[in-house]
Every structure is written in C-alpha cells, then in structure tokens.
Amino acid sequence: MVSFGSTTYSKRLLPLISWSHWFTFFNIIASILLSSLYLFNEASPDTLLGKFYLVVTWISHMSFLTFIGFVLLIFPLTLIYPKTRFIRGSASVVFTLGLLFLLLDAFIYTRLGYHLNASSSDQIIALIQTQIDQNSRVFWFVSVLLFISILVFQLVVSNYAWKHLRQLQKTIFARFVVMGLVTAFFISHLLHIWADANLEYDILRQDTVLPLSYPSTAKTLLTKYGMFDKADYMARKTSPLSFTDVLPTYPTLNQQCAQSKSITQSAILVLTDRLLKNQQIEQFAQRASNSKLQLSNHIDNALPKDAWFNLFYSLPSIYKRGVIEQDKKPLLFSALEANNLSTSLTIIDEKKESNTDFPAPIMSYTSLFEDISQLKDISSLVISQRLNKFTPGLHVFYFTAADHYQYELFIDALFLSQKNKTNKDIIWISSIGNKNEETSLTIKPALFILPNEQEKEITHLTSHMDIQPTLMQHWLACDIAPSTYSTGKDIVMVNNDRVIANTMDKGMMVFNKDKSVFIDQNGNFQSYSRELESPIMVSADFPLMIDGVHFIKSFALQQKSLN
C-alpha cells in the first residue's frame, strides 16, 4: 500500500515540477521585459563597462527574483498538495500578483525615486491617492485592464506549458539560456565587488535601480542626484554639499502683488537666537487675543549663518551661495517695495558696542531694510509706545545674547499694543538658528498670529521656509505659486504629512512626522529621539533621504520646467 501511494504521488508530482519550471521560465522572460521600465527612468551609464554591467545585472537579477518566487511559493505548495488544477491556478494567481507588484514598484520608482518600502508608506499612499483623485475612472480602468491582461497571459502560458510539456522537455535551447543567466548572475556580482573596491561610480550608482538589489550608500545616492561632484566621490572627500548642475535663476516679481487698496497692517517677526520651549509658546498663545496658529512641529534646522537665508528666501541652504551671487532681493521684499511698505530691523543686543557692529548671522541681510537700529534693551520701545506707531510694513525684532525675560516682556508689550489697534498686525514668534547639529535635529515650537484666520494647532511639519509664502498669500495677497520661488508652503494650507529637508556644511538633515535624521558625507545616519531628547544611531533610511533630496531640489526642478 505504501509503495502504491508513493508511486501515485511521484506520478503526480514529477510532471507538475517539470511544468512549474517551464512556467517560471516564461515568467522570467515577462519580468525581464516589464522591468525595462526601471531602465527607461535612468540615465544611460557613461562607460561601456557600466552599460555592460547594466545589461547583465538587469537580466540576471530579475531572473533570480522570479526564480526565488517560484522556490519560496510555488515549489513548497507543489510538494504539499500536488493537484494539477490547484497548482496551475495558484501559480497563475501568484505570478499575476507578482508582476502587478513589479509594475506598481516601477511606477513608484519613476515618481519617487525609490522602491516599495514601509518607511515611506505615507508618501507612497499619497502618490496613489493623488492618481485616484485626479482621474479615478482611468486609474481603476488601467488597474483592472493590467490585472486581466497579466492573468490571461498566465493562463495561456500555463495551458501551453502543460499541453506541450513533452515537446518542451526535449528542447535544448533552454539549457543555454539558463547557463547564460547563471553566468550573467556571477559576472554582475564580480563586477560589483570590483567596482566597490575601486569606487567605480558608473557601476555603483546603479545599486538602487532594480528592486531588492544592492544597498547603496548615502554618498552614492547624493552624487546620483547631483549633490556631490563625481571627482569628490572618487576621492571620498568631505566637502560641503553643492549642486553639480547650474543653479536656477531666482525669480523676479512682475505684477503678481498689485493691490487695489492700501495695506494698513504690518507683519512683525519677533525672533531670538535662544531656543524656545513648548511651555513658553503655550504661554504666549494664552496671552494673544487674536487668532493664532500654534505650530507644535516647527523646524528651524540651520546654523545661524544660514537660518536668515532660509527665512527670507524660503530656500534650503544649498541655494545660498548661488542666489546671493545673483544679487536679487527675496520676493517678499520686492513685493513690499512695490506696495510702498516700510521695512525695519531692530536688534536687541545686551553686548552691543556700536550701531554699526551688527551680529554676524544677520550682517549680510541688513541691506534689505530701510531702517535699522540696535538697542541694549527694550526700554525705549516700551516706554515711548513705539509699538503702537509702526507704519505698515515688515518689522523684524531680533534678540541676541539676551535672557528670556526681556524677550517675554517685549512680547507682552506687543500683545498689549495690539488691543488698541483696529487692524491687528500679523505676528510671528520663534527662535532662529542653532548652535550645533544636535539642536538642529530638535523640533522648535513657534506661534503665528494671523488675524481673521481660524484658530488652531498645526501638528504637521512646518518650517521657516513657510513664512514668506504665508505672508505673500495672507498679507500681500500675491497671486503667485509658492513653488515658483521657494520650497515652502502656505502654513494655513498645510494639511498633510510631508518631508522637510535642509543642508549643512557636513551633510543633510531630513524630517518627517516620526523622526529627524542627519546624513553626513560618509553615509552615517544619526537620528534624534524626541522622547529621549538625545541623538540615537539608526539604520540607513534611503527612501527618507531621497524624499529629502526631492524637497531640496524641488525649486531647481520647478525653475527648470519654467525655462
């Protein structure tokens, strides 16, 4: 009885295993063809060796992934339950889903620059939801059509391989194809080992093209996205991040901010170089009588020398040198000039020595202001009631090297002065600049008082780069898209999670809703724990880094598309 049962099992099993090999072979060809979508999204390698590596890696890697899918899913199922219809049907469904996921992953890669992964699930879901919102009928029609087409292909191939199994078993060409794929597999790995040892960038930059491929390095990816020079990559230098492409031209203002009536309110920015705490912002919010936006996840991740550039130009620090060399005002200041609005800068510095000895961080931006004054304390502002006599315009108060007592007292006086005004002013309260990289990774609470806006707490990420777009929209009523002159957004319209990034001399900082990460030029990832309030080491999160690169380069890409 045992012998009979074993013979019956073998008779059912052996043909199914032979069929499954051929069925997998046809799916290998299909996966290679469909995965060509990844290659179309990539620039062609520069060298002949790089092109050869791309081809052998492409065909061998996709063949390996497809075969592994068979080994892990279809083969065990065949051993456990060798029923012809069940195995053929199950295999068709499994490979249909596999090819659909391959197409989905290729779509994600062409749009976001990385493959399906858990850490960037929010961005991936948002991308898919955007496609559905734009045209749900087309999205679902294409999805269903692809599913049916691939399933029909699987059923046809399954039926063909089963009915012609004996003829297929007699063929010899498959042996040479399999030998070629195995040879390509080993050649690609040997080439990668050699490239890694010799820093052959043309090969290493292909690490992340195909799904489940080699883990790349931060420096390789930054070089690939044009934020490291290839020559510096070869030398492994720790030079500051900079664009390898030509920097975009900073835009000029046309007639987007023309006003039909005069502006009677001011925008007042009250800034300090000392870190503000949540408790202080909550106290300020309680004292304010106007509508207020309390920003509980605000970011100011620059060192003092770059923080003012981020604030006034609404761009990451990597643009600073190129934009400053163009000698153009921030669009906000051009709009102020077009509307004949005043600008003033008041620096409260207990250690000031002269009216011309300005603090270094803001020195480069004093030329933007018509009126500049430097005080040792706030007494002259409070006693003379100057806070009630501002002419409409932008007025910046910068507290440096001062204790929190003067800063808080000034804010109380400012709030008190607002009670007597018919047209309430826009007020921005926050810290500016960081003493080191560690504090750059922390969240900086801030308060934005916007009269006539709905009062609420904004828990989504905001940054100093959002201030200019918000003022342009809600104060100056400018009809201009923020993406044309900044990487920031109108704070009032921030209603979803996003990634915010900035650069420093030593690397790049990236923030999402869960964590903040610093990536240096050597590829080290360091995160900041908000619960522990201290830096922690984390594993490399390349999708998050790529999202950060997209944020930083969004202005350059926007300007490129307009030119």
Side-chain angles (χ1 to χ4, degrees):
M1 181 67 71
V2 174
S3 176
F4 177 77
S6 177
T7 303
T8 304
Y9 177 81
S10 298
K11 287 183 178 180
R12 288 183 297 170
L13 181 63
L14 294 178
L16 274 176
I17 291 179
S18 180
W19 166 86
S20 62
H21 285 157
W22 282 101
F23 183 66
T24 303
F25 175 77
F26 290 124
N27 273 282
I28 286 175
I29 297 175
S31 66
I32 291 175
L33 294 176
L34 292 179
S35 63
S36 61
L37 294 172
Y38 295 105
L39 277 58
F40 294 148
N41 188 61
E42 292 292 316
S44 176
D46 298 327
T47 63
L48 182 61
L49 183 61
K51 294 175 181 178
F52 175 74
Y53 174 81
L54 176 64
V55 173
V56 295
T57 302
W58 168 39
I59 61 176
S60 64
H61 185 71
M62 296 312 303
S63 301
F64 177 75
L65 290 183
T66 308
F67 182 72
I68 287 297
F70 157 73
V71 171
L72 296 179
L73 299 174
I74 306 303
F75 184 69
L77 199 60
T78 305
L79 296 178
I80 296 172
Y81 193 70
K83 298 292 185 180
T84 303
R85 290 186 177 180
F86 174 76
I87 295 300
R88 288 174 57 189
S90 299
S92 297
V93 172
V94 167
F95 276 110
T96 297
L97 295 177
L99 293 180
L100 280 175
F101 270 106
L102 180 65
L103 290 175
L104 175 61
D105 184 78
F107 172 74
I108 297 297
Y109 182 78
T110 57
R111 294 300 182 90
L112 299 180
Y114 47 77
H115 301 282
L116 289 167
N117 66 92
S119 64
S120 298
S121 57
D122 289 340
Q123 286 77 19
I124 293 172
I125 293 173
L127 174 62
I128 296 174
Q129 187 61 49
T130 300
Q131 301 301 313
I132 296 175
D133 293 341
Q134 289 178 350
N135 198 329
S136 59
R137 291 185 178 180
V138 172
F139 177 84
W140 292 115
F141 174 77
V142 171
S143 299
V144 172
L145 181 63
L146 286 174
F147 175 79
I148 294 176
S149 300
I150 295 175
L151 181 60
V152 169
F153 166 78
Q154 299 294 339
L155 295 175
V156 169
V157 169
S158 171
N159 187 61
Y160 176 83
W162 183 255
K163 287 187 175 182
H164 299 82
L165 184 58
R166 290 191 176 183
Q167 292 92 322
L168 291 172
Q169 289 174 331
K170 295 178 181 179
T171 59
I172 60 174
F173 77 92
R175 299 178 184 177
F176 297 103
V177 173
V178 171
M179 289 178 60
L181 293 176
V182 172
T183 302
F185 180 80
F186 282 104
I187 289 176
S188 66
H189 281 270
L190 290 174
L191 279 176
H192 191 275
I193 293 172
W194 172 83
D196 192 44
N198 292 274
L199 297 177
E200 182 57 45
Y201 170 74
D202 209 32
I203 290 178
L204 297 180
R205 73 184 180 94
Q206 302 177 36
D207 284 351
T208 58
V209 174
L210 299 173
L212 300 176
S213 189
Y214 290 103
S216 188
T217 65
K219 193 165 186 178
T220 301
L221 287 175
L222 289 173
T223 306
K224 176 180 176 180
Y225 284 98
M227 295 179 68
F228 257 126
D229 194 332
K230 293 181 184 179
D232 286 342
Y233 177 89
M234 297 297 295
R236 287 196 182 273
K237 295 178 181 178
T238 55
S239 56
L241 294 179
S242 60
F243 283 128
T244 56
D245 300 328
V246 178
L247 275 172
T249 302
Y250 189 77
T252 55
L253 192 69
N254 295 320
Q255 300 296 321
Q256 299 99 326
C257 298
Q259 298 292 320
S260 58
K261 58 181 180 180
S262 60
I263 297 174
T264 58
Q265 67 178 165
S266 293
I268 302 174
L269 311 185
V270 188
L271 305 165
T272 175
D273 61 1
R274 300 190 63 171
L275 184 64
L276 294 175
K277 298 180 180 179
N278 285 316
Q279 184 180 3
Q280 290 175 291
I281 294 297
E282 290 174 1
Q283 291 174 350
F284 295 153
Q286 292 173 1
R287 299 170 193 169
S289 58
N290 298 336
S291 299
K292 47 193 174 289
L293 304 177
Q294 192 168 338
L295 312 180
S296 56
N297 280 304
H298 188 73
I299 295 168
D300 170 27
N301 50 16
L303 296 179
K305 65 175 184 176
D306 296 326
W308 290 96
F309 175 81
N310 297 157
L311 176 66
F312 289 148
Y313 284 91
S314 301
L315 292 171
S317 303
I318 197 171
Y319 292 95
K320 180 180 175 181
R321 180 177 177 181
V323 171
I324 295 299
E325 287 176 352
Q326 295 175 25
D327 195 26
K328 291 185 178 180
K329 292 181 179 180
L331 229 59
L332 173 63
F333 284 81
S334 297
L336 292 171
E337 184 178 340
N339 285 278
N340 296 317
L341 296 173
S342 64
T343 57
S344 70
L345 170 64
T346 303
I347 301 171
I348 295 89
D349 185 357
E350 296 175 344
K351 300 179 180 180
K352 85 175 189 76
E353 297 180 359
S354 68
N355 288 330
T356 58
D357 184 24
F358 300 116
I362 200 172
M363 178 71 74
S364 302
Y365 306 97
T366 54
S367 60
L368 298 173
F369 297 91
E370 300 170 356
D371 182 23
I372 304 174
S373 59
Q374 194 165 198
L375 308 171
K376 281 191 174 184
D377 55 54
I378 63 171
S379 58
S380 61
L381 296 173
V382 177
I383 296 175
S384 63
Q385 295 186 342
R386 283 175 56 187
L387 299 180
N388 292 326
K389 301 175 182 178
F390 289 134
T391 57
L394 176 68
H395 305 286
V396 178
F397 293 86
Y398 175 40
F399 287 74
T400 175
D403 57 34
H404 282 309
Y405 175 74
Q406 280 211 79
Y407 185 77
E408 293 181 4
L409 185 60
F410 175 82
I411 291 175
D412 285 341
L414 180 62
F415 287 162
L416 184 61
S417 69
Q418 291 293 307
K419 292 182 178 180
N420 301 322
K421 300 192 70 171
T422 303
N423 294 317
K424 310 296 184 183
D425 294 322
I426 297 172
I427 300 176
W428 168 253
I429 299 172
S430 75
S431 59
I432 186 166
N434 296 275
K435 297 184 183 302
N436 52 53
E437 289 84 357
E438 290 184 4
T439 58
S440 298
L441 293 171
T442 63
I443 294 297
K444 317 293 191 309
L447 185 65
F448 208 168
I449 298 175
L450 279 172
N452 303 321
E453 289 296 329
Q454 182 180 357
E455 186 172 314
K456 60 181 176 179
E457 180 181 1
I458 298 180
T459 58
H460 299 297
L461 290 181
T462 56
S463 79
H464 277 17
M465 289 178 273
D466 297 327
I467 306 306
Q468 180 179 206
T470 307
L471 293 177
M472 295 281 280
Q473 176 65 36
H474 295 274
W475 180 34
L476 303 179
C478 295
D479 184 19
I480 178 172
S483 60
T484 60
Y485 62 91
S486 77
T487 56
K489 289 185 176 181
D490 175 2
I491 288 179
V492 178
M493 303 303 294
V494 173
N495 56 9
N496 61 339
D497 295 317
R498 58 174 172 158
V499 169
I500 294 177
N502 202 356
T503 58
M504 302 180 72
D505 290 344
K506 297 180 180 179
M508 179 175 71
M509 288 162 291
V510 186
F511 295 74
N512 67 8
K513 66 175 184 177
D514 298 319
K515 60 184 176 182
S516 51
V517 176
F518 177 74
I519 306 112
D520 65 21
Q521 291 95 323
N522 294 322
N524 300 313
F525 280 66
Q526 179 178 286
S527 181
Y528 185 88
S529 171
R530 298 176 191 174
E531 294 182 2
L532 300 176
E533 295 188 351
S534 62
I536 57 174
M537 297 306 296
V538 295
S539 57
D541 190 344
F542 292 118
L544 178 61
M545 188 191 76
I546 293 173
D547 283 333
V549 171
H550 288 163
F551 176 88
I552 291 171
K553 297 194 70 174
S554 60
F555 171 69
L557 295 175
Q558 175 73 12
Q559 290 302 308
K560 185 177 181 180
S561 66
L562 294 176
N563 296 332

